[in-house]
Amino acid sequence: MVYMRQVGARVKRKEDPRLITGSSNYVDDFNPRGVGHLGILRSVYAHAKINGIDTSAAKAHPGVIAVFTGADVPELDRPMPHGEGETAGGQKGMVGIVTAPLATDRVRHVGQAIAAVVAEDRYIARDALDLIVVDYEPLDAVIDIEEAVKDGAPQLYDEVPNNTAYTWTRKRGEVDAAFAEAEVTVTQRMNNQRLAAISLETRGVLAQPDPLSGGLTVYTSTQNPHSVRAEIARTLGLSEIEIRVVAPEVGGGFGAKISSYPEEMIVAALARKLNRPVKWIETRSEHLLATHHGRGQINEISLAAKRDGTITGLRMRCLADLGAYPRDASVPPLTGMLMSGVYGYQNVDIEIRGVYTNTMATGAYRGAGRPEAAYYVERIMDVLAAELGIDPVEVRRKNFIPPDAFPYKTPTGPTYDSGDYNKPLDKALAAADYQGQRAEQRQLRAQGRYRGIGVVTFTEICGFGPFDSASVRVEPSGKVTVATGISPHGQGQETTFAQMVADELGVSMDDVIVVHGDTARTPAGKGTMGSRGLVVGGSALFKTLGQIKEKATKIAAHLLEASPEDIEFREGKFGVKGAPDRTKTLVDIAAAAYSGSLPDEIGTGLEATDFFAPPGTTFPFGADVVTVEVNPETGEVALLRYVAIDDCGRVISPLLVDGQVHGGLTQGIAQALFEEVVYDEQGQLVTGTLMDYAVPKPEYVPMFENDRTETPSPHNPLGAKGIGELATIGSTPAVVNAVVDALAPFGIRHLDMPLRPQRIWQAIQDAQAKAPAAAD
């Protein structure tokens, strides 16, 4: 057999056959005998006191097993694990906020859970919910974050004045002097609208008592089984060893499934109380209503600069909508930390206020704070370029951090690991024929057509710790089982990890099984989020494979009657240096490992577990060039071309990287043009179904042209940086820059997202109405 390296090859995903044939299992596919189906009564008010809950009619409904309020189950009147000091997503100086899985005295957003029905099927449960009578006392609500911080606004929590949970600041350098001495300044107010994480599979939980251990097995659609286990244990007052959490197939998460929700606590508590399996499957409307949202910021950003485009200072004031409780208050500060972008300005003054409103909580959504930062930085760069009359490409080049400055300590906090920002920009401009497109744009404008070209250069932070893990067991047959602490749900680590094992141990990818998402079968880990799966989990695997190779080398030396120092791994085999015929395969070595005849200093078996704690985070980067055309009669945007050049460090699987880029670009484009979570003034969710919340269809996006440069990270043995979120981060400002560039002849400098046709058309009408008045 000819040995071929797998790392770097465009191999098909190992996961796909079971997924595309429907032969695998998601949470809703598990139906144990006697399972009770859970329905949840949710608040119809954005803010109200609860004076009483009458469940008698629901309890009497045929097919109902039980009905519970928070008062009926002590475990459900305990606080959820969030928002306490600097733990569980809180920020320094925050007041700890206590919210129970089932509200008993007050609700703070439409959709908050109040009561639970367990019935013989989900339809009976749904009918019974309508029979529960809640005595609400409506209170004034505040939905808009700018209104929420004003004196006299309705207060969500008495202990949080002006609804301001925290204020995050970062001030470095001589900012005031930079603005006072600036040759030019620009200021722009920008939004980052709320978004919903529309995963194919909604959330779902099944909890089943375990008669052998006396504990629980919980199946849940999560990105982070080990952390969810800890959170359930804490809320229910159990030890972690009493709970097994399993994430079977997970149909997408995008950050919304990182940590636990009230429903996991409710299902687990009721399964214990009823001593029977209980299952809850979220409807799509519930998903839009009660799964946390992303983004949700309003920002004013200013730049101070010289007339040649050199930026001398940045000032930002941001309001970040936390919703009704601090589900993940660490996201907005990530925006502040990434406000340096790929640029070398040293004078910064940033203030971010986390604000409570009577809406569903916000949290991580693909990129989590970094897309917001890239949007603000890349939009204000274009605003500055327009003010100076300089090509936006040249303004960017003028301010790049040079390649020899790395590792680079930014004034906003992070230390960038490595970078060479001209490389992807040069490649993107060449691929897009940027100068040719600019010439064509001038010709089309003379014909009354509105072509726009958007350029962005950007970075983000990935590879978060504190650690992750891997176990590798070479079976007696020579096949390999990998157990990982990460929890893939579409990223494809079963494939990338098999590629790594194949190269390091000389086995077929078909002989590698990767186990994940089960706290009883995997070492402790931190799940999959923040583009950390390969960077941290893969590095743990690489370290563990090193231990396996070390012992395999000793076994091979014993079998070949050679010194371990004389053994090398070549062409997929362990052999004596300089003796091509004296080799052993992993199958040979595995057989010996379990023979019981090896010397004591080698020992029996061939397995290892190791952990990787990254010494720092990674910073992938990229450059995008987008071409659009705007129809001024309708405001419609035609997305003509998209060139994306990314640098995610060393690439294990090019095919999977392409897939991550294509999906990420689509989600970023969707924010720019289509998606928005909307509440009315009373806090009712207007976009409560997919008839109202717009998601992109395939015909809305062009064929993407993507490629890569490679700048390894020094922070992990793979040199990987992460790719899961990078395309989302760059694509939103790229599209908005392109649309605004198309509208430049009308004098339009900025538009808030999403850039729907009506908004664009109205902006053109307003601009045309002002033009004659200005002439007069």
Side-chain angles (χ1 to χ4, degrees):
M1 182 180 72
V2 177
Y3 175 72
M4 296 181 62
R5 290 190 61 83
Q6 299 300 315
V7 169
R10 295 182 68 85
V11 300
K12 293 182 179 180
R13 288 182 11 136
K14 285 172 62 71
E15 301 92 329
D16 283 350
R18 69 174 188 265
L19 296 174
I20 63 179
T21 59
S23 57
S24 196
N25 291 308
Y26 297 81
V27 172
D28 201 20
D29 292 315
F30 294 94
N31 290 291
R33 185 174 61 184
V35 64
H37 295 268
L38 178 72
I40 297 174
L41 183 70
R42 301 185 182 277
S43 173
V44 297
Y45 286 95
H47 202 189
K49 291 181 179 179
I50 298 175
N51 294 325
I53 306 173
D54 183 354
T55 62
S56 55
K59 290 178 178 178
H61 189 65
V64 169
I65 298 167
V67 182
F68 299 98
T69 66
D72 300 324
V73 186
E75 295 93 331
L76 298 182
D77 199 26
R78 292 175 177 160
M80 287 281 291
H82 59 235
E84 299 181 8
E86 293 183 79
T87 64
Q91 287 296 305
K92 189 173 184 178
M94 280 184 66
V95 175
I97 297 301
V98 174
T99 58
L102 288 177
T104 55
D105 58 352
R106 189 171 173 181
V107 289
R108 292 179 172 87
H109 70 93
V110 172
Q112 188 167 355
I114 297 174
V117 172
V118 181
E120 297 293 343
D121 65 45
R122 66 187 64 179
Y123 306 104
I124 294 173
R126 179 63 189 83
D127 289 341
L129 293 176
D130 291 336
L131 302 176
I132 298 174
V133 178
V134 181
D135 180 7
Y136 293 103
E137 182 181 330
L139 302 171
D140 290 337
V142 61
I143 312 304
D144 182 272
I145 50 178
E146 292 180 293
E147 294 296 321
V149 297
K150 292 179 179 178
D151 292 339
Q155 299 295 291
L156 272 74
Y157 301 97
D158 295 338
E159 62 272 35
V160 183
N162 295 103
N163 297 305
T164 300
Y166 64 85
T167 301
W168 185 95
T169 61
R170 185 61 50 90
K171 189 170 184 177
R172 297 291 185 273
E174 302 297 329
V175 183
D176 294 339
F179 275 86
E181 298 168 6
E183 296 173 357
V184 62
T185 64
V186 291
T187 298
Q188 184 62 58
R189 182 186 186 274
M190 306 181 195
N191 77 323
N192 237 280
Q193 77 272 31
R194 273 185 180 240
L195 303 175
I198 306 295
S199 52
L200 286 175
E201 179 200 25
T202 58
R203 292 186 293 124
V205 188
L206 166 66
Q208 186 171 4
D210 184 347
L212 294 179
S213 67
L216 280 176
T217 297
V218 179
Y219 298 86
T220 181
S221 182
T222 181
Q223 299 174 224
N224 194 356
H226 287 276
S227 293
V228 168
R229 179 180 68 163
E231 291 164 1
I232 292 174
R234 176 182 170 186
T235 301
L236 300 190
L238 302 173
S239 66
E240 291 184 23
I241 62 172
E242 294 178 274
I243 299 171
R244 174 189 179 192
V245 171
V246 179
E249 299 291 2
V250 175
F254 305 124
K257 298 179 181 178
I258 291 175
S259 56
S260 63
Y261 283 84
E263 290 82 4
E264 271 119 344
M265 312 304 155
I266 296 168
V267 171
L270 298 188
R272 281 177 59 82
K273 189 171 184 68
L274 296 172
N275 195 32
R276 67 187 295 171
V278 174
K279 181 166 75 170
W280 169 78
I281 300 297
E282 182 183 55
T283 67
R284 183 60 68 182
S285 291
E286 281 183 301
H287 180 80
L288 287 159
L289 192 67
T291 291
H292 80 231
H293 301 147
R295 315 290 191 256
Q297 296 182 5
I298 293 175
N299 184 9
E300 183 174 277
I301 181 170
S302 301
L303 287 183
K306 299 179 181 178
R307 292 214 170 270
D308 68 356
T310 302
I311 298 170
T312 58
L314 175 144
R315 183 178 286 134
M316 183 179 92
R317 296 294 181 265
C318 179
L319 295 179
D321 193 346
L322 302 181
Y325 58 92
R327 178 162 172 77
D328 190 349
S330 66
V331 170
L334 280 173
T335 299
M337 292 167 62
L338 268 293
M339 285 303 296
S340 288
V342 295
Y343 310 112
Y345 42 78
Q346 292 297 306
N347 303 309
V348 300
D349 179 6
I350 299 170
E351 179 185 281
I352 299 174
R353 299 168 68 184
V355 181
Y356 294 129
T357 61
N358 292 114
T359 58
M360 179 57 198
T362 58
Y365 171 68
R366 198 167 189 170
R370 293 99 80 198
E372 295 92 316
Y375 180 75
Y376 302 141
V377 171
E378 291 305 299
R379 279 296 302 126
I380 199 67
M381 292 297 287
D382 266 29
V383 171
L384 176 63
E387 180 72 17
L388 294 172
I390 299 175
D391 189 302
V393 170
E394 298 313 310
V395 172
R396 287 169 169 81
R397 288 195 196 276
K398 173 75 71 173
N399 292 282
F400 277 163
I401 302 164
D404 60 3
F406 294 90
Y408 175 78
K409 176 66 175 177
T410 67
T412 52
T415 297
Y416 292 175
D417 56 344
S418 60
D420 189 346
Y421 303 133
N422 273 303
K423 287 198 307 184
L425 178 58
D426 289 343
K427 199 168 186 175
L429 295 175
D433 184 20
Y434 180 71
Q435 293 302 330
Q437 286 210 55
R438 284 296 184 194
E440 184 180 10
Q441 179 187 47
R442 289 190 289 270
Q443 294 173 0
L444 292 173
R445 282 182 176 174
Q447 301 169 19
R449 292 174 60 182
Y450 297 91
R451 180 74 57 89
I453 304 165
V455 178
V456 292
T457 50
F458 54 94
T459 188
E460 69 140 329
I461 182 172
C462 294
F464 301 97
F467 69 87
D468 227 293
S469 61
S471 294
V472 176
R473 183 173 69 243
V474 180
E475 310 290 353
S477 64
K479 297 182 186 298
V480 181
T481 299
V482 174
T484 175
I486 68 167
S487 189
H489 46 278
Q491 290 79 6
Q493 264 91 27
E494 290 182 40
T495 301
T496 53
F497 285 9
Q499 288 175 271
M500 292 171 59
V501 173
D503 276 10
E504 293 299 313
L505 299 182
V507 298
S508 166
M509 286 181 59
D510 293 335
D511 290 337
V512 181
I513 294 176
V514 179
V515 177
H516 57 82
D518 186 340
T519 60
R521 300 177 64 197
T522 61
K526 292 298 181 180
T528 296
M529 70 207 77
S531 302
R532 68 186 303 276
L534 179 65
V535 174
V536 187
S539 295
L541 172 59
F542 187 80
K543 287 184 64 181
T544 308
L545 289 171
Q547 294 186 36
I548 295 292
K549 289 180 74 173
E550 183 179 356
K551 184 169 183 179
T553 297
K554 294 178 181 179
I555 296 173
H558 174 75
L559 296 175
L560 294 168
E561 299 180 342
S563 169
E565 291 75 21
D566 292 331
I567 300 297
E568 65 180 357
F569 182 74
R570 62 176 185 266
E571 298 296 316
K573 297 179 181 180
F574 294 82
V576 178
K577 296 175 184 177
D581 296 333
R582 296 183 64 193
T583 61
K584 293 293 181 181
T585 66
L586 189 67
V587 173
D588 301 327
I589 293 170
Y594 294 97
S595 67
S597 61
L598 292 173
D600 290 343
E601 61 268 23
I602 297 178
T604 300
L606 190 53
E607 60 181 88
T609 298
D610 209 342
F611 291 77
F612 177 71
T617 46
T618 62
F619 293 84
F621 54 93
D624 293 1
V625 180
V626 183
T627 309
V628 304
E629 189 161 333
V630 175
N631 183 336
E633 301 301 321
T634 64
E636 292 176 289
V637 175
L639 193 54
L640 304 178
R641 194 173 178 192
Y642 202 114
V643 175
I645 308 297
D646 298 297
D647 195 315
C648 58
R650 186 186 181 203
V651 172
I652 303 296
S653 176
L655 193 65
L656 289 178
V657 169
D658 288 348
Q660 289 291 322
V661 170
H662 291 181
L665 291 176
T666 302
Q667 284 185 281
I669 291 167
Q671 177 174 8
L673 299 179
F674 310 117
E675 296 190 32
E676 183 178 24
V677 171
V678 178
Y679 286 92
D680 69 14
E681 293 180 355
Q682 286 73 45
Q684 298 296 324
L685 183 63
V686 176
T687 50
T689 73
L690 292 183
M691 292 294 288
D692 308 296
Y693 186 88
V695 293
K697 298 178 181 178
E699 61 264 31
Y700 293 176
V701 297
M703 293 295 292
F704 298 121
E705 304 167 56
N706 62 290
D707 204 344
R708 288 172 287 282
T709 60
E710 186 171 306
T711 307
S713 172
H715 287 335
N716 61 80
L718 299 178
K721 283 177 172 279
I723 191 60
E725 296 153 302
L726 190 61
T728 305
I729 288 163
S731 52
T732 302
V735 171
V736 175
N737 282 353
V739 173
V740 174
D741 183 56
L743 300 176
F746 296 103
I748 294 171
R749 183 165 101 164
H750 180 75
L751 288 176
D752 275 342
M753 300 182 290
L755 303 184
R756 298 192 184 112
Q758 190 276 337
R759 178 168 288 170
I760 293 172
W761 179 87
Q762 189 62 58
I764 293 171
Q765 300 307 303
D766 294 344
Q768 290 176 329
K770 290 178 182 177
D776 293 342

